[in-house]
Amino acid sequence: MLDGWRAASILSVLAGHLLPIGPSRWELNAAVAMSGMAIFFCLSGFLITQLLLQDQRIGAFLIRRLARILPLAWLAMGLLAVIPANRGLLLENLVFLANLPPVHLMEGGNHLWSLCVEVQFYVTVAVIVGLLGRRGLYLLPLLALAVTALRIAAGEPHSIVTWHRVDEILAGATLSLLVHRYRPGAVRLPVPGWSVLVLWVLLLGASHPAAGALLYARPYIAAAAVGVSLYASPGWFRTLLSSTPARYVAQISYALYVIHGVLGVTWLGGEEVGKVERYLRRPLLIGATFALAHVSTFQYESRWIALGKRLAGRPSGAPA
């Protein structure tokens, strides 16, 4: 079912970035995209923590994660480096520090700030587990609250700077620790199945630029929505999130995310023309994004992922 959440998150981001969602003054595009990003980050924190709960080999962890992230990200950055405005910005992007002030994101690569947050989280959690072992993971909920406190103190409800945004990943990590302790199936939540839909709507509201203080609760609402769905959700909801189309979109979600922004600075993006013509080109852009994401996922990224798994090896005693 987590694959379904991943599919919902990337479709929300794409819709927020590429489609007109109501009058611009309503700012629904920002709300939809931000809610999708919150779910995406939550799932990332959940997955990473699950992996490290099972296997604390830090070298193997970093090899697997970097083999997943770097090949497509570096290819995209290399292509964007040919744009004159991006000259001199490549190094900060390649080492995933471009989201830190002063920001040095590339034209066509503004959305790659999220990869910077991801990679910086990987390195940080690797250091924590390397020093403290598995028990170090139980610091992550405290770090989540600390980051949220920093956001509130700085008045940063939707920053791209890691120490003002990584609580969305850390909230997913906290959920992972709870699920590890209280397994779905062994525990029943005393909540109705439709509560997951209420939480999803609440997340959309907490992602709207005008949501005020509720914006600071966004990480935890996203984690609550995903968490409640694991324990109590309608049958049709589980079927939808576990469907073949949802699993497929989840598989190519990373490539969809990286590629859609890069294509946005091409003719398909239509930034040089009026709004009407720009949106007339959107079906072509979306079609090209899905086609390239399919090829990238199954013909390019899969080879690097397989190599990373071979280099990382298996934990001692694990079955072949």
Side-chain angles (χ1 to χ4, degrees):
M1 195 158 80
L2 292 178
D3 277 346
W5 278 112
R6 190 175 300 279
S9 71
I10 187 57
L11 292 177
S12 296
V13 170
L14 292 179
H17 288 175
L18 301 178
L19 300 177
I21 307 176
S24 59
R25 66 179 181 277
W26 291 358
E27 299 184 286
L28 295 179
N29 282 74
V32 170
M34 196 176 297
S35 68
M37 201 69 242
I39 295 171
F40 201 87
F41 272 153
C42 174
L43 294 173
S44 177
F46 186 97
L47 169 65
I48 296 309
T49 306
Q50 287 286 304
L51 291 175
L52 288 170
L53 283 168
Q54 297 164 12
D55 181 2
Q56 292 83 53
R57 295 176 304 137
I58 297 308
F61 164 73
L62 289 174
I63 288 171
R64 289 196 303 266
R65 297 318 301 163
L66 295 180
R68 179 71 185 95
I69 294 290
L70 295 187
L72 182 58
W74 278 359
L75 176 59
M77 292 171 187
L79 293 173
L80 291 172
V82 305
I83 299 175
N86 290 335
R87 290 172 187 166
L89 300 178
L90 183 59
L91 179 59
E92 294 95 331
N93 284 268
L94 289 176
V95 297
F96 298 97
L97 296 176
N99 72 314
L100 303 182
V103 173
H104 290 100
L105 295 167
M106 292 177 158
E107 181 182 342
N110 287 329
H111 62 305
L112 300 182
W113 66 267
S114 63
L115 301 189
C116 297
V117 177
E118 287 272 359
V119 172
Q120 291 164 35
F121 170 71
Y122 297 161
V123 173
T124 301
V125 76
V127 170
I128 290 173
V129 174
L131 293 174
L132 301 177
R134 179 173 168 174
R135 66 182 180 276
L137 293 171
Y138 291 91
L139 290 176
L140 299 183
L142 297 177
L143 289 177
L145 295 174
V147 170
T148 303
L150 281 175
R151 290 173 58 213
I152 294 171
E156 291 285 356
H158 44 70
S159 174
I160 67 169
V161 176
T162 302
W163 51 81
H164 290 150
R165 190 61 177 265
V166 75
D167 52 353
E168 291 184 347
I169 297 179
L170 293 168
T174 302
L175 173 63
S176 183
L177 294 172
L178 290 171
V179 170
H180 184 75
R181 176 68 177 83
Y182 304 102
R183 300 283 185 178
V187 175
R188 284 186 62 85
L189 289 182
V191 296
W194 49 260
S195 59
V196 66
L197 303 178
V198 173
L199 285 167
W200 201 343
V201 173
L202 183 60
L203 173 61
L204 188 61
S207 302
H208 195 279
L214 191 60
L215 285 162
Y216 298 109
R218 186 177 61 246
Y220 309 102
I221 297 172
V226 174
V228 167
S229 75
L230 298 176
Y231 294 89
S233 58
W236 65 264
F237 188 79
R238 289 177 173 272
T239 300
L240 177 63
L241 293 191
S242 303
S243 65
T244 299
R247 291 198 303 271
Y248 171 72
V249 173
Q251 278 185 290
I252 65 172
S253 60
Y254 174 59
L256 286 171
Y257 183 76
V258 173
I259 290 169
H260 90 279
V262 176
L263 290 183
V265 294
T266 67
W267 178 87
L268 291 171
E271 293 301 321
E272 77 287 356
V273 299
K275 182 181 293 188
V276 173
E277 184 174 346
R278 183 160 64 247
Y279 281 118
L280 286 175
R281 297 182 189 181
R282 281 295 190 261
L284 295 176
L285 189 153
I286 293 170
T289 297
F290 272 83
L292 290 174
H294 179 94
V295 173
S296 175
T297 300
F298 298 109
Q299 301 299 325
Y300 175 63
E301 297 165 65
S302 61
R303 301 174 191 270
W304 291 100
I305 293 170
L307 175 61
K309 289 180 178 178
R310 289 198 299 271
L311 293 175
R314 296 185 179 87
S316 58

